[in-house]
Amino acid sequence: MPLRWEAFLDRVKERGEYDSRQEADRAARVVLALLGAHLVGEVRAQLAARLPEGFALILLNPLQSAEPLSPERFVRATAAWIEGATEQTAAWDVSAVLSMVADAAGEDLLSQVLLQLPAGYDLLFGHPQPT
């Protein structure tokens, strides 16, 4: 069962140490839109099913990406989409959102998600994989 929108945002707000739900919402929308561009098929659908409906729709209707972004470029892209963000603040945003996504996904689905992403995303999700 997916988390409620308020619960998801409150956890992102706490992890990102944001002053408001609005800041957490902005970060979640950008990060999920970029993430959705990197996932396909059943994995994206299963992940969307574990997110609150509004965020699931963002994941399922992502920003377009010509190629998979490395973790570093993912953070830079996040910074470009969030007004006033730097790469440092964007890395914080990405971590706050993706760690919450990892919790919602669970280990099995997260493993499938990571298989669709370039190497290094495990760190962005806060779940380092053995090398």
Side-chain angles (χ1 to χ4, degrees):
M1 181 171 166
L3 284 172
R4 291 178 31 143
W5 180 84
E6 295 87 0
F8 185 90
L9 266 190
D10 285 344
R11 290 182 187 162
V12 170
K13 180 179 178 268
E14 180 181 309
R15 290 175 186 196
E17 298 179 11
Y18 299 111
D19 292 330
S20 69
R21 260 194 196 158
Q22 183 179 359
E23 287 180 83
D25 183 65
R26 178 191 64 197
R29 289 175 182 279
V30 170
V31 171
L32 290 171
L34 287 168
L35 178 63
H38 290 74
L39 301 177
V40 297
E42 190 63 27
V43 169
R44 184 167 65 185
Q46 287 179 21
L47 183 57
R50 297 190 187 184
L51 298 175
E53 184 179 0
F55 293 129
L57 293 173
I58 292 168
L59 187 77
L60 293 171
N61 297 291
L63 295 170
Q64 296 304 308
S65 180
E67 61 186 31
L69 300 175
S70 68
E72 296 80 17
R73 287 183 60 210
F74 188 92
V75 170
R76 283 196 297 268
T78 301
W81 279 95
I82 297 177
E83 185 179 335
T86 65
E87 285 187 36
Q88 276 188 319
T89 62
W92 192 264
D93 294 332
V94 168
S95 175
V97 175
L98 292 186
S99 67
M100 193 56 225
V101 169
D103 289 354
E107 288 298 321
D108 291 340
L109 182 54
L110 180 60
S111 294
Q112 293 175 46
V113 166
L114 291 172
L115 288 174
Q116 291 192 8
L117 298 169
Y121 272 81
D122 56 329
L123 300 176
L124 295 181
F125 281 90
H127 287 260
Q129 302 295 302
T131 54

